[in-house]
Coordinates of all heavy atoms in Angstrom, one line a residue:
I24 N -16.9 7.4 50.6 CA -17.9 7.4 49.6 C -18.4 8.8 49.5 O -18.5 9.6 50.5 CB -19.1 6.4 49.9 CG1 -19.7 6.7 51.3 CG2 -18.6 5.0 49.8 CD1 -20.9 5.9 51.6
P25 N -18.8 9.3 48.2 CA -19.4 10.6 48.1 C -20.8 10.6 48.7 O -21.5 9.7 48.6 CB -19.4 10.8 46.6 CG -19.2 9.5 46.0 CD -18.6 8.6 47.0
A26 N -21.1 11.8 49.3 CA -22.4 12.0 49.9 C -23.0 13.2 49.4 O -22.5 14.3 49.6 CB -22.3 12.0 51.4
I27 N -24.1 13.1 48.6 CA -24.8 14.3 48.0 C -25.8 14.7 49.0 O -26.7 13.9 49.4 CB -25.4 13.9 46.7 CG1 -24.3 13.4 45.7 CG2 -26.2 15.1 46.1 CD1 -24.9 12.7 44.5
A28 N -25.8 16.0 49.4 CA -26.9 16.5 50.2 C -27.9 17.2 49.3 O -27.5 18.1 48.5 CB -26.3 17.5 51.2
Q29 N -29.2 16.9 49.5 CA -30.2 17.4 48.7 C -31.3 18.0 49.7 O -31.7 17.3 50.7 CB -30.8 16.3 47.8 CG -32.0 16.8 47.0 CD -32.5 15.6 46.2 OE1 -32.7 14.5 46.7 NE2 -32.8 15.9 44.9
Q30 N -31.9 19.1 49.4 CA -33.0 19.6 50.2 C -34.2 18.7 50.0 O -34.6 18.5 48.8 CB -33.3 21.1 49.7 CG -34.5 21.7 50.5 CD -34.3 21.9 52.0 OE1 -33.2 22.1 52.4 NE2 -35.4 21.7 52.7
Y31 N -34.7 18.2 51.1 CA -35.7 17.1 51.0 C -37.0 17.6 50.3 O -37.7 16.8 49.7 CB -36.0 16.6 52.4 CG -37.0 17.4 53.2 CD1 -38.3 17.0 53.3 CD2 -36.6 18.6 53.8 CE1 -39.2 17.7 54.0 CE2 -37.5 19.3 54.6 CZ -38.8 18.9 54.7 OH -39.7 19.6 55.4
D32 N -37.5 18.8 50.5 CA -38.8 19.2 50.0 C -38.8 19.8 48.6 O -39.8 19.8 47.9 CB -39.5 20.1 51.0 CG -38.7 21.3 51.4 OD1 -37.5 21.4 51.0 OD2 -39.3 22.1 52.1
T33 N -37.6 20.4 48.2 CA -37.5 21.1 46.9 C -36.7 20.3 45.8 O -36.8 20.5 44.7 CB -36.9 22.5 47.0 OG1 -35.6 22.3 47.4 CG2 -37.7 23.3 48.0
G34 N -35.9 19.3 46.3 CA -35.0 18.6 45.4 C -33.8 19.3 45.1 O -32.9 18.8 44.3
E35 N -33.6 20.5 45.6 CA -32.4 21.3 45.3 C -31.1 20.6 45.8 O -31.0 20.1 46.9 CB -32.5 22.6 46.0 CG -31.3 23.6 45.9 CD -31.5 24.9 46.7 OE1 -32.2 24.8 47.7 OE2 -31.0 25.9 46.2
V36 N -30.1 20.4 44.9 CA -28.9 19.8 45.2 C -28.0 20.8 45.9 O -27.7 21.9 45.4 CB -28.1 19.2 44.0 CG1 -26.8 18.6 44.4 CG2 -29.0 18.1 43.3
L37 N -27.6 20.5 47.1 CA -26.9 21.5 48.0 C -25.4 21.4 47.9 O -24.7 22.4 47.8 CB -27.4 21.4 49.4 CG -28.9 21.6 49.6 CD1 -29.3 21.1 51.0 CD2 -29.3 23.0 49.3
M38 N -24.9 20.2 48.1 CA -23.4 20.1 48.2 C -23.0 18.6 48.1 O -23.9 17.7 48.1 CB -22.9 20.6 49.6 CG -23.5 19.9 50.8 SD -22.7 20.3 52.4 CE -21.3 19.3 52.3
L39 N -21.7 18.4 48.0 CA -21.1 17.1 48.0 C -20.1 17.0 49.1 O -19.3 17.9 49.2 CB -20.4 16.8 46.6 CG -19.6 15.5 46.6 CD1 -20.5 14.3 46.5 CD2 -18.5 15.6 45.5
G40 N -20.2 16.0 49.9 CA -19.2 15.8 51.0 C -18.7 14.4 50.9 O -19.2 13.6 50.0
W41 N -17.9 14.0 51.8 CA -17.3 12.6 51.8 C -17.6 12.0 53.2 O -17.5 12.6 54.2 CB -15.8 12.7 51.5 CG -15.5 13.2 50.2 CD1 -15.3 14.5 49.8 CD2 -15.5 12.4 49.0 NE1 -15.1 14.5 48.4 CE2 -15.3 13.3 47.9 CE3 -15.7 11.0 48.7 CZ2 -15.2 12.9 46.6 CZ3 -15.6 10.6 47.4 CH2 -15.3 11.5 46.3
M42 N -17.9 10.7 53.1 CA -18.2 10.0 54.4 C -17.4 8.7 54.3 O -17.2 8.1 53.3 CB -19.6 9.6 54.5 CG -20.6 10.8 54.7 SD -22.3 10.2 55.0 CE -23.1 11.8 55.2
D43 N -16.9 8.3 55.5 CA -16.4 6.9 55.7 C -17.5 6.2 56.5 O -18.6 6.7 56.8 CB -15.1 6.9 56.4 CG -15.1 7.4 57.8 OD1 -16.1 7.8 58.3 OD2 -14.0 7.4 58.5
D44 N -17.3 5.0 57.0 CA -18.3 4.2 57.7 C -18.7 4.9 59.0 O -19.9 5.0 59.3 CB -17.7 2.8 58.0 CG -17.6 1.9 56.8 OD1 -17.6 2.4 55.7 OD2 -17.5 0.7 57.0
E45 N -17.8 5.5 59.7 CA -18.1 6.2 60.9 C -18.9 7.4 60.7 O -19.9 7.7 61.4 CB -16.8 6.5 61.7 CG -17.1 7.2 63.1 CD -18.0 6.4 64.0 OE1 -18.0 5.1 64.0 OE2 -18.6 7.0 64.9
A46 N -18.6 8.2 59.7 CA -19.4 9.4 59.4 C -20.8 9.0 59.0 O -21.8 9.7 59.4 CB -18.7 10.2 58.3
L47 N -21.0 7.9 58.2 CA -22.3 7.5 57.8 C -23.0 7.0 59.1 O -24.2 7.3 59.2 CB -22.2 6.4 56.8 CG -23.5 5.8 56.3 CD1 -24.5 6.9 55.7 CD2 -23.3 4.7 55.2
H48 N -22.4 6.3 59.9 CA -23.0 5.8 61.2 C -23.5 7.0 62.0 O -24.7 7.0 62.5 CB -22.0 5.0 62.0 CG -22.5 4.7 63.4 ND1 -23.5 3.8 63.6 CD2 -22.1 5.1 64.6 CE1 -23.7 3.7 64.9 NE2 -22.8 4.5 65.5
R49 N -22.7 8.0 62.2 CA -23.1 9.2 62.9 C -24.2 9.9 62.3 O -25.1 10.4 63.0 CB -21.9 10.1 63.1 CG -20.7 9.6 63.9 CD -19.6 10.6 64.0 NE -18.4 10.0 64.7 CZ -17.4 10.7 65.0 NH1 -17.3 12.0 64.7 NH2 -16.3 10.1 65.6
T50 N -24.2 10.0 61.0 CA -25.3 10.6 60.2 C -26.6 9.9 60.5 O -27.7 10.5 60.7 CB -25.0 10.7 58.7 OG1 -23.8 11.5 58.6 CG2 -26.1 11.3 57.9
L51 N -26.6 8.6 60.4 CA -27.8 7.8 60.6 C -28.3 7.8 62.0 O -29.5 7.7 62.2 CB -27.5 6.3 60.2 CG -27.3 6.1 58.7 CD1 -26.7 4.7 58.4 CD2 -28.5 6.3 57.9
T52 N -27.4 7.9 63.0 CA -27.9 7.8 64.4 C -28.1 9.1 65.1 O -28.9 9.2 66.0 CB -26.8 7.0 65.2 OG1 -25.6 7.6 65.1 CG2 -26.7 5.6 64.7
T53 N -27.5 10.2 64.5 CA -27.7 11.5 65.2 C -28.8 12.4 64.5 O -29.2 13.3 65.2 CB -26.4 12.3 65.3 OG1 -26.0 12.7 63.9 CG2 -25.3 11.5 66.0
G54 N -29.0 12.1 63.3 CA -30.0 13.0 62.5 C -29.3 14.3 62.0 O -30.0 15.2 61.5
R55 N -28.0 14.4 62.1 CA -27.2 15.5 61.6 C -26.2 14.9 60.7 O -25.6 13.9 61.0 CB -26.6 16.2 62.8 CG -27.5 16.9 63.8 CD -27.8 18.3 63.5 NE -26.7 19.2 63.2 CZ -25.8 19.7 64.1 NH1 -26.0 19.5 65.4 NH2 -24.8 20.5 63.7
C56 N -25.9 15.6 59.6 CA -24.9 15.2 58.6 C -23.5 15.3 59.2 O -23.1 16.4 59.6 CB -25.0 15.9 57.3 SG -26.3 15.3 56.2
T57 N -22.8 14.2 59.2 CA -21.4 14.2 59.6 C -20.6 13.8 58.4 O -20.9 12.8 57.7 CB -21.1 13.2 60.7 OG1 -21.9 13.5 61.9 CG2 -19.7 13.1 61.1
Y58 N -19.5 14.5 58.1 CA -18.7 14.3 56.9 C -17.2 14.1 57.4 O -16.9 14.4 58.5 CB -18.7 15.5 56.0 CG -20.1 15.8 55.4 CD1 -20.9 16.8 56.0 CD2 -20.6 15.1 54.3 CE1 -22.1 17.1 55.5 CE2 -21.8 15.3 53.8 CZ -22.6 16.3 54.4 OH -23.9 16.6 53.9
W59 N -16.4 13.5 56.5 CA -15.0 13.4 56.7 C -14.3 14.5 55.9 O -14.5 14.6 54.7 CB -14.5 12.0 56.3 CG -13.0 12.0 56.4 CD1 -12.1 12.0 55.3 CD2 -12.2 11.9 57.6 NE1 -10.8 11.9 55.8 CE2 -10.8 11.8 57.2 CE3 -12.5 11.8 58.9 CZ2 -9.8 11.7 58.1 CZ3 -11.5 11.7 59.8 CH2 -10.1 11.7 59.4
S60 N -13.6 15.4 56.6 CA -12.9 16.4 55.8 C -11.6 15.9 55.3 O -10.7 15.5 56.1 CB -12.6 17.6 56.8 OG -11.8 18.5 56.1
R61 N -11.4 15.8 54.0 CA -10.2 15.3 53.4 C -9.0 16.3 53.7 O -7.9 15.8 53.8 CB -10.4 15.1 51.9 CG -11.4 14.0 51.7 CD -11.7 13.7 50.2 NE -12.1 15.0 49.6 CZ -12.1 15.2 48.3 NH1 -11.8 14.3 47.4 NH2 -12.6 16.3 47.8
S62 N -9.3 17.6 53.7 CA -8.2 18.5 53.9 C -7.8 18.6 55.4 O -6.6 18.7 55.7 CB -8.6 19.9 53.4 OG -9.8 20.4 54.1
R63 N -8.7 18.6 56.3 CA -8.4 18.7 57.7 C -8.2 17.3 58.4 O -7.7 17.3 59.5 CB -9.5 19.4 58.5 CG -9.7 20.9 58.1 CD -10.6 21.6 59.0 NE -11.9 20.9 59.2 CZ -13.0 21.2 58.5 NH1 -13.0 22.1 57.6 NH2 -14.1 20.5 58.8
R64 N -8.5 16.3 57.7 CA -8.4 14.9 58.2 C -9.1 14.7 59.5 O -8.6 14.2 60.5 CB -6.9 14.5 58.3 CG -6.0 14.8 57.1 CD -6.0 13.8 56.0 NE -5.8 12.5 56.4 CZ -6.3 11.4 55.8 NH1 -7.0 11.6 54.7 NH2 -6.1 10.2 56.2
E65 N -10.4 15.2 59.5 CA -11.2 15.0 60.8 C -12.7 15.0 60.4 O -13.0 15.5 59.3 CB -10.9 16.1 61.8 CG -11.3 17.5 61.3 CD -10.9 18.6 62.3 OE1 -10.1 18.3 63.2 OE2 -11.3 19.7 62.1
Y66 N -13.5 14.5 61.3 CA -14.9 14.6 61.1 C -15.4 16.0 61.4 O -14.9 16.7 62.2 CB -15.6 13.6 62.1 CG -15.3 12.1 61.8 CD1 -14.4 11.5 62.6 CD2 -15.8 11.5 60.7 CE1 -14.0 10.1 62.3 CE2 -15.5 10.2 60.5 CZ -14.6 9.5 61.3 OH -14.3 8.2 61.0
W67 N -16.5 16.3 60.7 CA -17.2 17.6 60.9 C -18.6 17.4 60.8 O -19.1 16.7 59.9 CB -16.6 18.7 60.1 CG -16.7 18.6 58.6 CD1 -15.8 17.9 57.8 CD2 -17.6 19.2 57.7 NE1 -16.2 18.0 56.5 CE2 -17.3 18.8 56.4 CE3 -18.7 20.0 57.9 CZ2 -18.0 19.2 55.3 CZ3 -19.4 20.4 56.8 CH2 -19.1 20.0 55.5
V68 N -19.4 18.0 61.7 CA -20.8 17.9 61.7 C -21.3 19.2 61.1 O -21.0 20.3 61.6 CB -21.4 17.7 63.1 CG1 -22.9 17.7 63.0 CG2 -20.9 16.5 63.7
K69 N -22.0 19.2 60.0 CA -22.4 20.4 59.2 C -23.2 21.3 60.2 O -24.2 20.8 60.8 CB -23.2 20.0 58.0 CG -23.7 21.1 57.2 CD -22.5 21.8 56.5 CE -23.0 22.8 55.5 NZ -22.0 23.7 55.0
G70 N -22.7 22.5 60.3 CA -23.4 23.5 61.1 C -22.9 23.7 62.5 O -23.3 24.6 63.2
D71 N -22.0 22.8 63.0 CA -21.5 23.0 64.3 C -20.7 24.3 64.5 O -20.8 24.9 65.6 CB -20.5 21.9 64.7 CG -21.3 20.7 65.3 OD1 -22.5 20.7 65.4 OD2 -20.6 19.7 65.7
T72 N -20.0 24.8 63.5 CA -19.4 26.1 63.6 C -20.1 27.2 62.9 O -20.1 28.4 63.4 CB -17.9 26.1 63.1 OG1 -18.0 25.6 61.7 CG2 -17.1 25.1 63.9
S73 N -20.8 26.9 61.8 CA -21.5 28.0 61.1 C -22.9 28.2 61.5 O -23.5 29.3 61.2 CB -21.5 27.6 59.6 OG -22.3 26.5 59.4
G74 N -23.6 27.2 62.1 CA -25.0 27.3 62.5 C -25.9 26.8 61.3 O -27.1 26.8 61.4
H75 N -25.2 26.5 60.2 CA -26.0 26.1 59.0 C -26.2 24.6 59.0 O -25.5 23.8 58.3 CB -25.3 26.6 57.7 CG -25.2 28.1 57.6 ND1 -24.2 28.7 56.8 CD2 -25.8 29.1 58.3 CE1 -24.4 30.0 56.9 NE2 -25.3 30.2 57.8
V76 N -27.1 24.1 59.8 CA -27.3 22.7 60.1 C -28.0 22.0 59.0 O -28.9 22.6 58.3 CB -28.1 22.6 61.4 CG1 -28.4 21.2 61.8 CG2 -27.4 23.4 62.6
Q77 N -27.7 20.7 58.9 CA -28.4 19.8 58.0 C -29.1 18.8 58.8 O -28.5 17.9 59.4 CB -27.5 19.1 57.0 CG -26.9 20.1 56.0 CD -25.9 19.4 55.0 OE1 -25.4 18.4 55.3 NE2 -25.7 20.0 53.9
H78 N -30.5 18.9 58.9 CA -31.3 17.9 59.6 C -31.7 16.8 58.7 O -32.3 17.1 57.7 CB -32.6 18.6 60.2 CG -32.3 19.7 61.2 ND1 -31.9 19.4 62.5 CD2 -32.4 21.0 61.1 CE1 -31.7 20.6 63.1 NE2 -32.0 21.5 62.3
V79 N -31.2 15.6 59.0 CA -31.4 14.5 58.1 C -32.9 14.0 58.0 O -33.5 13.8 59.1 CB -30.5 13.3 58.5 CG1 -30.7 12.1 57.6 CG2 -29.0 13.7 58.4
K80 N -33.4 13.9 56.8 CA -34.8 13.4 56.6 C -34.7 11.9 56.1 O -35.6 11.1 56.5 CB -35.5 14.3 55.6 CG -35.7 15.7 56.1 CD -36.6 15.7 57.3 CE -37.0 17.1 57.7 NZ -37.9 17.2 58.9
S81 N -33.8 11.6 55.3 CA -33.6 10.2 54.8 C -32.2 10.1 54.2 O -31.6 11.0 53.8 CB -34.7 9.9 53.7 OG -34.4 10.6 52.5
V82 N -31.8 8.8 54.1 CA -30.5 8.5 53.6 C -30.7 7.3 52.6 O -31.4 6.3 53.0 CB -29.5 8.1 54.7 CG1 -28.1 7.7 54.0 CG2 -29.3 9.2 55.7
A83 N -30.1 7.3 51.4 CA -30.3 6.2 50.5 C -29.0 6.0 49.8 O -28.2 6.9 49.5 CB -31.4 6.6 49.4
L84 N -28.7 4.7 49.5 CA -27.6 4.3 48.6 C -28.0 4.3 47.2 O -29.2 4.0 46.9 CB -27.1 2.9 49.0 CG -26.4 2.8 50.3 CD1 -26.1 1.3 50.6 CD2 -25.1 3.6 50.4
D85 N -27.1 4.6 46.3 CA -27.5 4.5 44.9 C -27.4 3.0 44.5 O -27.0 2.1 45.3 CB -26.5 5.3 44.0 CG -25.1 4.8 43.8 OD1 -24.7 4.0 44.7 OD2 -24.5 5.2 42.8
C86 N -27.7 2.7 43.2 CA -27.8 1.3 42.8 C -26.5 0.5 42.9 O -26.5 -0.7 43.0 CB -28.4 1.2 41.4 SG -27.4 2.1 40.2
D87 N -25.4 1.2 42.8 CA -24.1 0.5 42.9 C -23.5 0.6 44.3 O -22.4 0.0 44.6 CB -23.1 1.2 42.0 CG -23.4 1.1 40.5 OD1 -23.9 0.0 40.2 OD2 -23.2 2.0 39.8
A88 N -24.2 1.2 45.3 CA -23.8 1.3 46.7 C -22.4 2.0 46.8 O -21.6 1.8 47.7 CB -23.8 0.0 47.4
D89 N -22.2 3.0 45.8 CA -20.9 3.7 45.9 C -21.1 5.2 46.1 O -20.2 6.0 46.1 CB -20.0 3.5 44.7 CG -20.6 3.9 43.4 OD1 -21.8 4.5 43.4 OD2 -20.0 3.7 42.4
T90 N -22.4 5.6 46.3 CA -22.7 7.0 46.6 C -23.9 7.1 47.5 O -24.8 6.2 47.4 CB -23.1 7.8 45.3 OG1 -22.0 7.7 44.4 CG2 -23.4 9.3 45.6
V91 N -23.9 8.0 48.4 CA -25.0 8.2 49.4 C -25.8 9.5 49.0 O -25.2 10.5 48.8 CB -24.5 8.3 50.8 CG1 -25.6 8.6 51.8 CG2 -23.8 7.0 51.2
L92 N -27.1 9.4 49.1 CA -27.9 10.6 48.9 C -28.6 10.9 50.3 O -29.3 10.0 50.8 CB -29.0 10.4 47.9 CG -30.0 11.5 47.7 CD1 -29.3 12.8 47.2 CD2 -31.1 11.1 46.7
V93 N -28.2 12.0 50.8 CA -28.8 12.4 52.1 C -29.8 13.5 51.9 O -29.4 14.6 51.4 CB -27.7 12.9 53.1 CG1 -28.3 13.1 54.5 CG2 -26.6 11.9 53.2
R94 N -31.1 13.3 52.1 CA -32.1 14.3 52.0 C -32.2 15.0 53.3 O -32.3 14.3 54.4 CB -33.4 13.7 51.6 CG -33.3 13.2 50.1 CD -34.7 12.7 49.6 NE -34.6 12.2 48.3 CZ -34.5 10.9 47.9 NH1 -34.4 10.0 48.8 NH2 -34.4 10.6 46.7
V95 N -32.0 16.3 53.3 CA -31.9 17.1 54.5 C -32.8 18.3 54.5 O -33.3 18.7 53.5 CB -30.5 17.6 54.7 CG1 -29.5 16.5 54.8 CG2 -30.1 18.6 53.6
D96 N -33.0 18.8 55.7 CA -33.7 20.2 55.8 C -32.5 21.1 56.1 O -32.0 21.1 57.3 CB -34.7 20.2 56.9 CG -35.5 21.5 56.9 OD1 -35.4 22.3 55.9 OD2 -36.3 21.7 57.8
Q97 N -32.1 21.9 55.2 CA -30.9 22.7 55.3 C -31.3 24.0 56.0 O -32.2 24.7 55.6 CB -30.3 23.0 53.9 CG -29.2 24.0 53.9 CD -27.9 23.4 54.5 OE1 -27.5 22.3 54.2 NE2 -27.3 24.2 55.4
V98 N -30.6 24.4 57.1 CA -30.8 25.7 57.7 C -29.7 26.6 57.3 O -28.5 26.3 57.5 CB -30.8 25.5 59.3 CG1 -30.8 26.9 59.9 CG2 -31.8 24.6 59.7
G99 N -30.0 27.7 56.6 CA -29.0 28.6 56.1 C -28.3 28.1 54.9 O -28.8 27.2 54.1
A100 N -27.1 28.6 54.7 CA -26.3 28.2 53.5 C -25.7 26.8 53.6 O -25.3 26.4 54.7 CB -25.1 29.2 53.3
A101 N -25.6 26.1 52.5 CA -24.9 24.8 52.5 C -23.5 24.9 52.1 O -22.6 24.2 52.6 CB -25.6 23.8 51.5
C102 N -23.1 25.9 51.3 CA -21.8 26.1 50.8 C -20.9 26.9 51.8 O -21.4 27.8 52.4 CB -21.8 26.8 49.4 SG -20.2 26.9 48.6
H103 N -19.6 26.5 51.8 CA -18.7 27.3 52.7 C -18.5 28.7 52.3 O -18.0 29.5 53.0 CB -17.3 26.5 52.7 CG -16.6 26.7 51.5 ND1 -16.8 25.9 50.4 CD2 -15.5 27.5 51.2 CE1 -16.0 26.2 49.4 NE2 -15.2 27.2 49.9
T104 N -18.9 29.1 51.0 CA -18.8 30.4 50.6 C -20.0 31.3 51.1 O -19.9 32.5 50.9 CB -18.9 30.5 49.0 OG1 -20.1 30.0 48.6 CG2 -17.7 29.7 48.4
G105 N -21.0 30.7 51.7 CA -22.1 31.4 52.2 C -23.3 31.3 51.2 O -24.4 31.8 51.5
A106 N -23.1 30.7 50.1 CA -24.2 30.5 49.1 C -25.2 29.3 49.6 O -24.7 28.4 50.3 CB -23.7 30.1 47.7
R107 N -26.4 29.4 49.2 CA -27.4 28.4 49.5 C -26.9 27.0 49.1 O -27.0 26.0 49.8 CB -28.7 28.7 48.9 CG -29.8 27.6 49.0 CD -30.4 27.5 50.3 NE -31.4 26.4 50.3 CZ -31.8 25.9 51.4 NH1 -31.4 26.3 52.6 NH2 -32.7 24.9 51.3
T108 N -26.4 26.9 47.9 CA -25.9 25.7 47.3 C -24.5 25.8 46.7 O -24.1 27.0 46.3 CB -26.9 25.1 46.2 OG1 -26.3 24.0 45.5 CG2 -27.2 26.2 45.2
C109 N -23.8 24.8 46.6 CA -22.4 24.8 46.0 C -22.5 24.8 44.5 O -21.4 25.0 43.8 CB -21.6 23.6 46.5 SG -21.3 23.6 48.3
F110 N -23.7 24.7 43.9 CA -23.8 24.4 42.5 C -24.4 25.6 41.7 O -24.9 25.3 40.6 CB -24.5 23.1 42.2 CG -23.7 21.9 42.7 CD1 -24.1 21.3 43.9 CD2 -22.7 21.4 42.0 CE1 -23.4 20.2 44.4 CE2 -21.9 20.3 42.5 CZ -22.3 19.7 43.6
D111 N -24.5 26.8 42.2 CA -25.1 27.8 41.4 C -24.2 28.9 41.0 O -24.6 29.8 40.2 CB -26.3 28.4 42.2 CG -25.8 29.1 43.5 OD1 -24.6 29.1 43.8 OD2 -26.7 29.7 44.2
A112 N -22.9 28.9 41.3 CA -22.0 30.0 41.0 C -21.3 29.9 39.7 O -20.9 30.9 39.1 CB -21.0 30.2 42.2
D113 N -21.1 28.7 39.2 CA -20.3 28.5 38.0 C -21.0 27.5 37.0 O -20.5 26.4 36.8 CB -18.9 27.9 38.5 CG -17.9 28.1 37.4 OD1 -18.1 28.8 36.4 OD2 -16.8 27.5 37.5
V114 N -22.1 28.0 36.5 CA -22.9 27.2 35.5 C -22.1 27.2 34.2 O -21.8 28.3 33.7 CB -24.3 27.7 35.4 CG1 -25.0 26.9 34.3 CG2 -25.0 27.6 36.7
L115 N -21.8 26.1 33.6 CA -21.1 26.0 32.4 C -22.0 26.1 31.2 O -23.1 25.6 31.2 CB -20.3 24.7 32.4 CG -19.3 24.4 33.5 CD1 -18.7 23.1 33.4 CD2 -18.3 25.5 33.6

Side-chain angles (χ1 to χ4, degrees):
I24 55 172
I27 300 166
Q29 179 183 42
Q30 178 64 33
Y31 82 101
D32 54 354
T33 65
E35 180 181 30
V36 177
L37 300 169
M38 61 172 279
L39 171 78
W41 295 92
M42 293 183 180
D43 66 358
D44 290 19
E45 181 59 25
L47 180 55
H48 169 70
R49 292 180 189 187
T50 297
L51 291 168
T52 58
T53 66
R55 298 265 313 277
C56 279
T57 300
Y58 299 98
W59 174 255
S60 171
R61 296 178 301 165
S62 59
R63 294 188 312 262
R64 312 277 311 148
E65 66 183 13
Y66 294 104
W67 57 282
V68 179
K69 182 68 174 165
D71 272 2
T72 56
S73 67
H75 299 160
V76 178
Q77 292 177 339
H78 299 285
V79 177
K80 297 295 187 177
S81 68
V82 180
L84 289 174
D85 76 337
C86 58
D87 295 322
D89 63 0
T90 304
V91 176
L92 176 63
V93 186
R94 291 185 180 98
V95 301
D96 189 9
Q97 175 71 48
V98 176
C102 187
H103 72 281
T104 65
R107 170 76 181 165
T108 171
C109 295
F110 296 101
D111 64 354
D113 198 10
V114 177
L115 303 177

